[in-house]
Amino acid sequence: MDLYEHQARELFEEHGILVPRAEVTASPARAGEIARALGGRAVVKAQVKTGGRGKAGGVRLAADPAEAEQAARHILGMDIKGHTADTVMVAEPVDVEGEFYVSYVLDRAAGRFLAVASAEGGTEIEEVAAERPEAVARIPVDPAVGVTTATAVRIADAAGLPPQTVDTLVRLWQVLVRQDALLVEVNPLVRTADGRTMALDGKVTLDDNALFRQARWGDERAMSADPLEARAAAKGLNYVKLHGEVGVIGNGAGLVMSTLDVVAGCGARPANFLDIGGGASARVMADGLSVVLSDPAVKSVLVNVFGGITACDAVADGIVRALEEVRPTKPLVVRLDGNNAARGRALLDTRAHPLVEQATTMDGAARRAARLATTA
């Protein structure tokens, strides 16, 4: 689960990391009041769980409270990479002498964490790494040992960070451990004109498996800015809204990802990612179809299932039962393969729903769903 910037900075502040004074609001008028309390000048920042806010116009420097109010009015409601800015953070401006990048991220392949740091912060770290990889230091961190002062010194030396950042590097590791985080990132970490080290921005991603220990944040997965994602989360579905016209339902994340690629290769765009997991029961299928079909952008739905532990005839039975409840108005293309696939196809043939057709291959199913969507 990703936290908003203002939540990340709250964690930083609790762990002794300096952050600018700031307050969050959903009111342009209140944004002006906050700026006045901060001394007049302020930075107004969209609170969305995505990067690229500055390039999208979601970060603005205001010279006075009136400009802060105007900036908030412009930013609130803005769409930034599919995320709506419902709130803004109004922060005091900081005189910056140097900008750095630091993060800790889980390296799943190696079974450890990785410290990533650079003396060139304030820009997209991916761009820096691509253009000049030598400017980005990557230091493995043994989770059993953590980031001690000695480790932090090694990270700072490798990245060319000033010695004053060592204490902050240790404290950021404490944030990661105590909050069950998979990622803690600061970009930029700055040296101010008066010599302080301060986090101007932050990103924290929590491990969903440990959310029961992080109850302070509530169930933010069900508070998604996208209403379809919120509805799916409430039903326990692994759903991500995309910007296409072919709804996609599959069992297993790898299969669903492959299906998205095949749909795109057929000249259409996937409308979503939806993994129903191993048990495609009637209830799960009904919930999945309900969410996907309620998306007005969806023109057709592709159900791609490979029977394993859950056999295809059980999946087909779930689809048949779901059709009675959902009553679709858009065409469905179903591809069943694997355990008891023939029985599953026979069940769907017997039901003979006018909006449901079958395909025997993933490529064939994707082509048909793409054609139905683009000719609707």
Side-chain angles (χ1 to χ4, degrees):
M1 180 178 78
D2 292 330
L3 298 184
Y4 288 101
E5 176 196 5
H6 67 88
Q7 294 171 324
R9 73 183 299 280
E10 180 181 330
L11 288 176
F12 296 164
E13 193 169 24
E14 289 175 3
H15 288 78
I17 299 168
L18 291 179
V19 295
R21 290 183 300 155
E23 188 175 325
V24 177
T25 182
S27 164
R30 178 59 186 154
E33 294 172 2
I34 296 169
R36 185 172 294 105
L38 293 174
R41 294 176 66 242
V43 181
V44 184
K45 308 174 76 174
Q47 294 301 282
V48 289
K49 297 181 179 181
T50 186
R53 293 175 300 170
K55 293 179 180 179
V59 178
R60 297 196 169 201
L61 178 63
D64 53 47
E67 282 192 16
E69 179 176 345
Q70 183 180 7
R73 198 177 304 280
H74 174 83
I75 293 172
L76 288 168
M78 176 184 289
D79 181 277
I80 302 176
K81 296 182 180 180
H83 297 256
T84 302
D86 294 321
T87 59
V88 294
M89 185 175 75
V90 184
E92 65 175 341
V94 175
D95 292 329
V96 176
E97 282 194 348
E99 296 185 337
F100 320 109
Y101 173 93
V102 295
S103 71
Y104 297 116
V105 61
L106 177 62
D107 184 347
R108 296 183 185 275
R112 62 192 179 194
F113 281 87
L114 192 65
V116 182
S118 174
E120 301 183 24
T123 59
E124 297 290 342
I125 194 65
E126 293 84 1
E127 295 178 6
V128 176
E131 295 174 3
R132 287 177 302 99
E134 71 279 1
V136 180
R138 297 172 175 84
I139 308 298
V141 177
D142 183 347
V145 177
V147 176
T148 62
T149 298
T151 305
V153 168
R154 188 155 55 91
I155 295 169
D157 287 346
L161 306 182
Q164 296 92 327
T165 62
V166 167
D167 180 66
T168 300
L169 289 171
V170 173
R171 293 177 185 275
L172 285 172
W173 177 258
Q174 293 170 353
V175 172
L176 181 137
V177 172
R178 295 171 183 172
Q179 301 301 317
D180 296 302
L182 301 175
L183 168 71
V184 172
E185 177 185 77
V186 180
N187 188 25
L189 179 71
V190 304
R191 181 181 61 246
T192 65
D194 56 4
R196 295 178 297 166
T197 300
M198 182 176 289
L200 293 197
D201 199 349
K203 180 178 180 180
V204 174
T205 300
L206 306 183
D207 184 351
D208 285 352
N209 296 308
L211 289 183
F212 69 95
R213 289 201 296 253
Q214 306 298 335
R216 66 182 287 184
W217 304 117
D219 189 2
E220 290 217 359
R221 291 170 298 177
M223 297 166 58
S224 168
D226 184 277
L228 286 175
E229 291 186 355
R231 180 178 171 187
K235 296 178 181 292
L237 296 172
N238 295 315
Y239 173 93
V240 178
K241 177 76 174 72
L242 302 175
H243 302 285
E245 56 281 336
V246 178
V248 176
I249 301 175
N251 63 329
L255 180 61
V256 178
M257 291 296 291
S258 298
T259 306
L260 300 184
D261 290 341
V262 175
V263 167
C266 292
R269 298 178 303 165
N272 64 272
F273 170 103
L274 176 52
D275 173 17
I276 58 175
S281 66
R283 177 74 271 148
V284 173
M285 286 302 306
D287 288 343
L289 284 172
S290 176
V291 170
V292 172
L293 290 169
S294 63
D295 183 352
V298 168
K299 305 301 180 186
S300 69
V301 179
L302 170 56
V303 179
N304 187 19
V305 170
F306 186 88
I309 297 175
T310 302
C312 286
D313 55 342
V315 173
D317 182 62
I319 294 173
V320 168
R321 293 173 183 269
L323 290 172
E324 297 298 331
E325 180 176 335
V326 177
R327 300 185 183 279
T329 58
K330 300 167 185 177
L332 276 73
V333 180
V334 179
R335 178 255 183 172
L336 299 176
D337 198 3
N339 188 15
N340 285 351
R343 292 182 186 179
R345 295 176 194 140
L347 279 173
L348 293 179
D349 285 338
T350 300
R351 175 62 178 83
H353 193 286
L355 287 176
V356 177
E357 56 184 272
Q358 298 191 64
T360 57
T361 67
M362 183 164 68
D363 288 345
R367 281 194 298 270
R368 181 58 180 159
R371 182 175 180 183
L372 288 169
T374 55
T375 58

